[in-house]
Amino acid sequence: MSGFPILSLMLLVPLAAALACLFLEAKPARNLALAATLLDFALGVVLWANFDIGGAQWQFTERVELFSGFSYALGIDGIALLLIMLSVFLMPICIGASWKSIDKRVGEYMAAFLLMETLMIGVFAAQDLFLFYIFFEAGLIPMYLIIGVWGGADRIYASYKFFLYTLLGSVLMLIAMLWMANTAGTTDIPTLMAYDFDPHVQTWLWLAFFASFAVKMPMWPVHTWLPDAHVQAPTAGSVILAGVLLKMGGYGFIRFSLPMFPEASAYFGPLIWGLSMAAVVLTSLIALVQHDMKKLIAYSSVAHMAIVTIGLFAFNVQGLEGSMLIMLSHGLVSGALFLCVGIIYDRLHTREIDRYGGLSINMPRYALFFMLFTMASVGLPGTSGFVGEFLSLAGIYQVSTWATLICATGIILGAAYMLYLYRRVAFGEQKNADAAAMADLDVRELLMVVPLGIAVLWMGIYPESFIAPMRADIAALDARLAAAKPEGDSKVAMGKEKPVHEEVSAHEGAH
Amino acid sequence: MQSILLIVFLPLLAAIIAGLGNKQLGNVPAKVVTTGALFIACALSWPIFISFLTGSAEATVVPVLTWVKSGPMAFDWALRVDTLTAVMLVVVTSVSALVHLYSWGYMDEEPDQPRFFAYLSLFTFAMLMLVTADNLVQMFFGWEGVGLASYLLIGFWFRKPSACAAAIKAFVVNRVGDLGFMLGIFGTFLVFGTVSIHEILQAAPGMAGSTIGFLGHRFDTMTVLCLLLFIGAMGKSAQLGLHTWLPDAMEGPTPVSALIHAATMVTAGVFMVCRLSPMFETSPTAMAFITVIGGATCFFAATIGCTQWDIKRVIAYSTCSQLGYMFFAAGVGAYGAAMFHLFTHAFFKALLFLGAGSVIHAMHHEQDMRFYGNLRKHIPITFWTMTAGTLAITGVGMFGVGFAGFHSKDAILEAAYAAGSASGSFAFWMGIFAALMTSFYSWRLVFLTFFGKPRWAGSEHIQHAVHHHHEDPSEEAGHDNHVHNPEGTAGYHPHESPLVMLIPLLILAFGAVAAGYVFQHEFVSEGTGEFWKGALVFHEHLIHAMHSIPELIKWSPFIVMVIGLVTAWYGYIRNTRFPAAVAEQLGPVYTFVYRKWMFDELYHYLFVVPAFWLGRVFWKQGDVGLIDRFGPNGAAWVVAKGSTYAQKVQSGYLYSYALVMLLGLVGAISWVIAG
């Protein structure tokens, strides 16, 4: 595969299709969008199949020098590969989800989604600081349009809130990037990842990046755009927002904050822990009292993302790998849950939980998949949700037992709000006649949920497929962080009468 | 030993076939597939158990698949078979197979049968994964897997609000325990650098006496780990404090109660403590804690069992109480006795539940014992098998020969006494009191159900059944009289259950009679260490101490059993006004016990209400009132004020904002190029 610009091709396919969609009628636009996203997914599979695990850190690199240091540089490591796979996997499902529910301005809608796909892949593939920035920020525009044009009744407020929050962060990040480029004399991301910035300056740079990534993540207390954005976005918009856009924050931490500013990351670790702990408890409790299905899942996303951030800032392999797995799993599971909401929204046109009930009776297949994704969200072992959560919490336990305890309450509260949701939607009597008359999943919908279900189980039973590509990259990151690693609060100390050699082994166990 | 793969995965396969096939597959094929799979698994399990009995088998591990490798934290899917697993294998597969069979009859009128059988088989798979776990995480998988199956089965009749509530409660309360389990696994990994049970148990003694930081303080390492893990066991095995889900779980169909909430899942905590016994042995504090919790639970649950009217709830609290026995046996170091009681209890408690199911079946879904009576003449086989179960649970026997519970319960009480510790003595006395109450409530159940005059007329279910059969206005008139007169049959004729329900009862009755006597040498006598082969810690000296306890102590379980029996006979056959008079005399104490020590009310106001209240506050006051108000909305206000004069250049169209954004980008990049 060497030499063939597959990444550029993956960027180009949706972009070309997006341009074409602008000039097409509804029906051909749908078909073209589906074809293009499926082709991109196929390219993604080729990409994964040819990714050399254990080979060079950066593969499929492409580089075209443009002007004054700014270059069109692409390339991926295992982390980027997995997130690109997640994006191209979710895209055809999003097109499928919009197949019937979008009937105005279909061409433009499809174009927006396809453009979105190009930008998402670009974010994960970019190797140039400013190329990354362009992809990262431009991603706002199609999403802003998707919410603002095809959204619900309150779409203007939601899209404006979304824009305002994210813009705030990005301005600061741009300034930091400019400073970095000037200081390090390069915009090459791999080089910057190994560049040692002055620890004092790191603090400011870290904060600037943090402003952007924390909003994207989103972390408490800058999360309030998310519930509104989700509620107003069309189904596919929610899927891609929860599935991929939120992952850009986590990716940013992993790609920039941690390797470029390790000392600052360690310094601000407790801040992240505090915000994450607050997020888990507060947003889980808020999710418990929601009446709107999408809002509930949106708040649960904030809680899950908090486990990601705390795992990332655990500074060890389990925490980092766990966080990556949660991001992938959450991409699938929350996407699937929003899809499940969309499926019944298409039938009844309400997100009000109380308008449903007893769906297990008239929609048994739907109930099965909804249960599967609910359990994955709850983190049941054997589903994708468990592995990441477990590793992430195991990672933070080595650093702070308090943080672990508080964050682990999320598994209790998560079970409570998800099962309470499921109970109100799928269990109980069929108290609403219109909900009781809804038809079960049709073929189109099954084609969307079945792949998601398989992926969720696959990642839960054999996550090695997903850990293997990133193992070396995480190990490298862990090594980069080793110097700054904070000391754990649960160190083992042997009793007096024990021989010395056991003490050594105990400390080895602790690290 | 490759047959273990079939034993574990056949039920999963059957569950998938029956579950996905569902209505398209039809009732009978779904039942044949699941029940068939379970009988095959059962037939394959007994040879493994027997090979361990005869000493011809060695512990083995059958690897299945890599699960997770994350730095030093690595664990695989693997099936471990040793003596402890073999015991659990026969318990799980035998009871499960019989419950599957029984359900053919019990669930016969149910429209949703494939789903039910799929859940049952799924449960069995998860339970088998739990007992064959070679590492803590796979045990956790089984642990949560049985929790899922339990949730689904409790909520099987999902149209009933009470069933839904009970299902959620079971899952969430169990999650509290699982939180402890998870932290225990994290801590264990931190200390030992592995989650392999085998390696942990080997390294555990070396860690005795060390200290570890936890929540900002320093504690004894092994005590912290063992207590965290034990919290998990408390949740799953419904021990005091985390027991509230078990009685509510009776909302599920009765075969489910027999399989999950009596014989198998709830004993997972006991299994875990026994499996990790070398680890628990290193922490006297944790052992004492287990002993006290076990003793307290067996007493507390027995008191509630004495007051309940719902036949299933009586047995549920009885289960809770018997689990307490198992725990304090483990707590004093008599792991063999704990496993023995787990083994015998599985038979007689499954029997009691299935018998209760047979009664409920005969009485048209009536579960209130106040509306039973005189049933021994109508459903004699159910009566005799349940009597066998009652003789077993109350521990009838003397001079070394008796029903199943006699051997295992006496061994536990003797061990607690022989242990000589303060916690052991506490548990012993709690156990003796509980044995008294066990005898009382068990015979009370039998007397209320099978003896005396019929009191069926007061039951709405019976009335409903009678009316269903005779749509006659003259019967309608007679109906009102019956309601005010609780005695009488209301013209109802209970029928004995079909053969598919009676066969499991008879087989289990055989187990309840014989399982104790036949297997006592393997589980609790000198040289038993050979049977266990190191699968759990076995204290030879405790067995010796058990033989040298005073005669009176040896006889005390028998004495209290007789007292309980006589009291029940007096109160529910001889002088039926007596219990009400006693309850009246006790007043608030009785109410307190009858209301289950007020745990549900306490937890409701302590956790459920505040959680919802806090959720609303954080949402309305926090997110909306504070963050949004001063965040984006505040910024919007400022912008709106500032931009009134700039309005003319702004079109208000969305794409124009996008354009501005892009222009800004271009500007920024140009600046870089220029710089």
Side-chain angles (χ1 to χ4, degrees):
Chain A
M1 285 303 288
S2 63
F4 183 73
I6 186 169
L7 288 172
S8 289
L9 188 61
M10 286 180 78
L11 292 176
L12 192 64
V13 168
L15 187 64
L19 289 174
C21 274
L22 285 174
F23 304 103
L24 285 176
E25 291 296 306
K27 208 168 167 222
R30 286 192 191 106
N31 289 331
L32 177 65
L34 185 65
T37 51
L38 283 173
L39 177 62
D40 233 24
F41 177 58
L43 285 171
V45 173
V46 173
L47 187 73
W48 195 358
N50 285 287
F51 186 82
D52 179 18
I53 294 169
Q57 187 184 3
W58 302 98
Q59 303 184 18
F60 307 103
T61 48
E62 298 168 30
R63 175 172 286 272
V64 180
E65 298 295 338
L66 294 178
F67 40 82
S68 73
F70 177 74
S71 54
Y72 173 81
L74 300 178
I76 54 168
D77 63 351
I79 296 168
L81 170 76
L82 291 167
L83 290 165
I84 289 176
M85 282 312 294
L86 178 68
S87 315
V88 294
F89 175 72
L90 286 175
M91 274 313 288
I93 294 172
C94 286
I95 303 295
S98 320
W99 205 259
K100 286 182 181 159
S101 54
I102 301 297
D103 47 14
K104 59 165 188 173
R105 296 176 161 212
V106 178
E108 284 99 324
Y109 177 87
M110 293 299 169
F113 260 89
L114 289 164
L115 178 62
M116 190 84 224
E117 178 167 24
T118 300
L119 297 172
M120 289 185 313
I121 298 171
V123 165
F124 299 128
Q127 283 210 310
D128 182 275
L129 204 54
F130 293 109
L131 191 63
F132 169 84
Y133 184 80
I134 291 172
F135 284 129
F136 190 82
E137 295 306 334
L140 281 177
I141 298 166
M143 186 40 90
Y144 175 71
L145 294 175
I146 288 166
I147 297 173
V149 178
W150 292 274
D154 234 356
R155 56 182 184 265
I156 300 300
Y157 175 68
S159 55
Y160 144 77
K161 206 168 167 183
F162 169 73
F163 203 84
L164 193 73
Y165 260 117
T166 32
L167 193 69
L168 170 83
S170 44
V171 172
L172 293 171
M173 187 169 79
L174 182 64
I175 296 167
M177 282 181 164
L178 293 170
W179 197 94
M180 284 162 70
N182 277 332
T183 309
T186 178
T187 56
D188 184 46
I189 290 175
T191 315
L192 285 168
M193 282 168 69
Y195 188 87
D196 294 313
F197 287 99
D198 178 4
H200 298 293
V201 185
Q202 275 189 26
T203 311
W204 297 106
L205 294 175
W206 190 93
L207 282 173
F209 275 81
F210 173 72
S212 181
F213 299 148
V215 168
K216 269 271 164 38
M217 200 81 203
M219 293 179 73
W220 186 86
V222 287
H223 66 282
T224 61
W225 62 271
L226 186 69
D228 284 313
H230 270 310
V231 165
Q232 299 305 328
T235 302
S238 290
V239 172
I240 219 68
L241 183 58
V244 186
L245 288 194
L246 298 192
K247 309 301 168 291
M248 291 182 181
Y251 179 75
F253 280 124
I254 256 188
R255 181 65 79 226
F256 296 90
S257 303
L258 288 170
M260 295 183 191
F261 324 119
E263 280 82 14
S265 296
Y267 177 76
F268 286 112
L271 170 73
I272 298 273
W273 302 342
L275 295 180
S276 302
M277 287 190 277
V280 169
V281 177
L282 298 187
T283 53
S284 294
L285 286 170
I286 293 174
L288 202 56
V289 295
Q290 296 304 311
H291 308 291
D292 182 310
M293 282 189 271
K294 275 186 152 182
K295 250 192 181 156
L296 194 155
I297 299 167
Y299 273 111
S300 89
S301 293
V302 182
H304 281 117
M305 287 299 110
I307 311 275
V308 172
T309 45
I310 203 153
L312 289 176
F313 284 80
F315 296 92
N316 52 42
V317 172
Q318 287 84 43
L320 293 168
E321 288 184 347
S323 295
M324 269 302 292
L325 285 174
I326 301 181
M327 286 205 272
L328 296 174
S329 160
H330 181 265
L332 298 173
V333 174
S334 69
L337 285 171
F338 279 118
L339 204 56
C340 283
V341 174
I343 284 168
I344 51 178
Y345 181 83
D346 285 348
R347 287 163 170 69
L348 212 58
H349 298 287
T350 175
R351 296 178 308 267
E352 194 68 24
I353 296 171
D354 288 338
R355 292 281 289 109
Y356 297 93
L359 293 191
S360 296
I361 299 164
N362 53 317
M363 302 178 73
R365 274 181 291 197
Y366 174 78
L368 173 72
F369 282 100
F370 192 20
M371 174 53 77
L372 173 65
F373 300 131
T374 299
M375 281 300 155
S377 171
V378 165
L380 193 83
T383 64
S384 60
F386 170 72
V387 185
E389 204 171 84
F390 181 82
L391 287 177
S392 200
L393 291 172
I396 192 66
Y397 189 92
Q398 297 166 40
V399 184
S400 165
T401 42
W402 264 117
T404 317
L405 180 70
I406 306 272
C407 285
T409 56
I411 73 165
I412 302 171
L413 295 169
Y417 62 71
M418 283 312 292
L419 295 182
Y420 187 43
L421 168 71
Y422 192 84
R423 181 245 174 284
R424 286 178 290 172
V425 172
F427 286 169
E429 282 292 351
Q430 296 174 306
K431 55 186 174 156
N432 301 307
D434 46 1
M438 299 194 309
D440 205 351
L441 301 182
D442 59 26
V443 176
R444 176 181 64 90
E445 288 159 342
L446 278 174
L447 284 175
M448 295 189 292
V449 292
V450 169
L452 282 167
I454 291 171
V456 161
L457 290 174
W458 179 10
M459 200 183 285
I461 294 167
Y462 191 68
E464 180 62 16
S465 309
F466 304 91
I467 301 177
M470 64 175 168
R471 182 166 286 132
D473 304 310
I474 297 288
L477 179 55
D478 186 53
R480 172 100 177 127
L481 293 172
K485 192 175 282 193
E487 195 154 292
D489 69 344
S490 51
K491 287 181 79 170
V492 182
M494 299 306 295
K496 280 175 215 145
E497 67 279 4
K498 293 291 153 194
V500 184
H501 68 268
E502 273 181 343
E503 190 158 7
V504 176
S505 68
H507 282 297
E508 276 169 3
H511 290 300
Chain B
M1 216 49 103
Q2 294 299 318
S3 64
I4 188 67
L5 288 171
L6 282 178
I7 296 174
V8 174
F9 290 107
L10 268 184
L12 174 66
L13 191 66
I16 293 172
I17 293 172
L20 293 185
N22 210 341
K23 296 265 163 62
Q24 285 90 337
L25 191 64
N27 286 346
V28 176
K31 289 196 282 192
V32 170
V33 168
T34 51
T35 314
L38 257 298
F39 271 93
I40 294 171
C42 180
L44 292 170
S45 297
W46 278 94
I48 293 179
F49 178 59
I50 289 167
S51 68
F52 276 100
L53 276 184
T54 56
S56 64
E58 288 295 325
T60 49
V61 178
V62 180
V64 181
L65 188 70
T66 306
W67 190 3
V68 170
K69 274 192 290 186
S70 174
M73 180 172 263
F75 39 91
D76 292 343
W77 300 101
L79 307 176
R80 178 180 186 81
V81 187
D82 59 10
T83 313
L84 192 59
T85 302
V87 173
M88 293 304 288
L89 280 183
V90 293
V91 168
V92 173
T93 56
S94 306
V95 177
S96 180
L98 292 174
V99 165
H100 272 77
L101 183 63
Y102 179 93
S103 304
W104 281 60
Y106 192 83
M107 302 300 282
D108 196 34
E109 292 168 11
E110 179 60 43
D112 236 357
Q113 291 180 43
R115 188 163 64 89
F116 179 77
F117 282 85
Y119 288 170
L120 276 188
S121 292
L122 177 70
F123 165 78
T124 313
F125 161 71
M127 189 71 203
L128 291 170
M129 286 299 276
L130 196 166
V131 300
T132 55
D134 189 40
N135 60 61
L136 287 175
V137 189
Q138 187 182 328
M139 190 187 269
F140 192 70
F141 166 82
W143 200 264
E144 293 251 296
V146 292
L148 167 69
S150 168
Y151 162 80
L152 292 170
L153 283 164
I154 295 168
F156 178 73
W157 285 314
F158 59 79
R159 293 166 196 236
K160 272 165 67 181
S162 57
C164 293
I168 294 180
K169 187 173 175 185
F171 199 94
V172 173
V173 174
N174 264 295
R175 275 259 156 152
V176 178
D178 293 352
L179 170 68
F181 194 166
M182 233 164 132
L183 292 180
I185 297 175
F186 298 154
T188 309
F189 173 70
L190 182 96
V191 173
F192 297 104
T194 174
V195 289
S196 155
I197 293 174
H198 186 65
E199 288 172 28
I200 293 166
L201 297 186
Q202 283 197 323
M207 279 294 153
S210 62
T211 60
I212 192 171
F214 185 68
L215 303 184
H217 298 274
R218 291 202 78 77
F219 301 99
D220 179 66
T221 306
M222 295 314 290
T223 303
V224 169
L225 299 185
C226 292
L227 286 180
L228 285 173
L229 292 169
F230 181 63
I231 291 171
M234 283 174 69
K236 201 52 84 191
S237 294
Q239 292 300 288
L240 189 60
L242 293 179
H243 67 281
T244 53
W245 64 273
L246 182 60
D248 289 23
M250 297 301 124
E251 289 288 343
T254 309
V256 173
S257 314
L259 175 61
I260 299 185
H261 306 122
T264 56
M265 181 184 88
V266 288
T267 61
V270 182
F271 169 78
M272 183 232 260
V273 173
C274 290
R275 170 61 91 203
L276 302 177
S277 50
M279 200 173 158
F280 281 90
E281 282 291 309
T282 57
S283 169
T285 317
M287 294 289 276
F289 184 76
I290 295 172
T291 311
V292 171
I293 289 285
T297 306
C298 89
F299 173 79
F300 135 89
T303 60
I304 300 176
C306 292
T307 60
Q308 298 300 304
W309 293 112
D310 184 311
I311 186 167
K312 284 181 73 181
R313 286 198 180 235
V314 173
I315 308 177
Y317 277 107
S318 162
T319 304
C320 197
S321 166
Q322 298 297 315
L323 290 166
Y325 278 101
M326 297 175 210
F327 272 114
F328 76 71
V332 299
Y335 303 101
M339 283 307 294
F340 191 26
H341 199 53
L342 188 161
F343 183 75
T344 60
H345 176 260
F347 290 104
F348 62 69
K349 191 50 67 68
L351 170 62
L352 286 172
F353 262 121
L354 293 184
S358 181
V359 172
I360 295 166
H361 190 73
M363 293 301 283
H364 208 266
H365 308 299
E366 179 57 64
Q367 298 192 7
D368 193 323
M369 296 191 296
R370 281 171 292 193
F371 304 125
Y372 288 172
N374 198 242
L375 284 172
R376 72 179 183 282
K377 291 172 186 142
H378 301 272
I379 45 173
I381 300 176
T382 304
F383 165 64
W384 282 112
T385 51
M386 275 196 90
T387 306
T390 307
L391 290 167
I393 191 176
T394 54
V396 174
M398 55 174 77
F399 307 120
V401 184
F403 293 90
F406 165 74
H407 296 280
S408 53
K409 195 199 282 180
D410 281 19
I412 287 176
L413 288 168
E414 285 168 16
Y417 186 86
S421 60
S423 56
S425 304
F426 167 78
F428 171 78
W429 288 109
M430 286 290 139
I432 288 290
F433 275 117
L436 172 69
M437 288 183 284
T438 305
S439 172
F440 173 76
Y441 66 67
S442 301
W443 289 112
R444 170 177 176 263
L445 185 153
V446 170
F447 294 151
L448 276 171
T449 306
F450 295 106
F451 290 83
K453 295 198 183 96
R455 300 178 299 273
W456 316 338
S459 158
E460 281 178 24
H461 294 270
I462 295 293
Q463 291 290 352
H464 188 259
V466 172
H467 284 281
H468 206 66
H469 292 298
H470 317 273
E471 291 294 339
D472 188 351
S474 64
E475 288 276 333
E476 200 74 47
H479 164 79
D480 288 331
N481 295 336
H482 283 300
V483 171
H484 299 296
N485 175 18
E487 295 208 346
T489 65
Y492 183 74
H493 300 287
H495 290 290
E496 185 61 282
S497 300
L499 207 57
V500 284
M501 290 169 68
L502 294 179
I503 290 170
L505 285 180
L506 290 167
I507 296 173
L508 288 170
F510 176 73
V513 173
Y517 183 72
V518 173
F519 293 109
Q520 58 173 324
H521 299 292
E522 275 69 33
F523 282 92
V524 280
S525 54
E526 282 96 346
T528 300
E530 305 222 334
F531 169 61
W532 292 111
K533 286 203 182 91
L536 48 70
V537 173
F538 194 79
H539 293 297
E540 201 75 29
H541 64 86
L542 194 61
I543 298 289
H544 291 298
M546 281 161 66
H547 289 306
S548 51
I549 61 171
E551 278 300 302
L552 184 66
I553 299 297
K554 262 192 180 150
W555 279 91
S556 55
F558 184 80
I559 297 165
V560 295
M561 185 272 293
V562 173
I563 298 173
L565 168 61
V566 171
T567 317
W569 171 80
Y570 182 77
Y572 294 96
I573 292 188
R574 186 76 176 67
N575 178 6
T576 50
R577 277 191 298 269
F578 182 64
V582 174
E584 184 107 340
Q585 279 293 308
L586 289 174
V589 177
Y590 174 80
T591 314
F592 178 69
V593 175
Y594 181 69
R595 301 276 299 274
K596 305 148 195 170
W597 292 35
M598 302 287 183
F599 268 101
D600 282 337
E601 290 82 350
L602 181 72
Y603 285 179
H604 184 71
Y605 289 109
L606 212 56
F607 299 116
V608 181
V609 173
F612 278 85
W613 181 78
L614 282 173
R616 271 186 292 272
V617 169
F618 289 140
W619 179 30
K620 293 289 185 195
Q621 263 85 55
D623 272 21
V624 180
L626 218 61
I627 297 174
D628 276 354
R629 188 168 161 213
F630 296 108
N633 297 358
W637 183 81
V638 173
V639 173
K641 282 281 168 191
S643 65
T644 36
Y645 67 93
Q647 255 175 354
K648 286 180 184 150
V649 290
Q650 297 202 352
S651 59
Y653 287 109
L654 293 163
Y655 50 76
S656 71
Y657 294 101
L659 190 69
V660 171
M661 179 76 200
L662 273 178
L663 285 175
L665 273 176
V666 171
I669 293 161
S670 335
W671 185 69
V672 179
I673 298 162

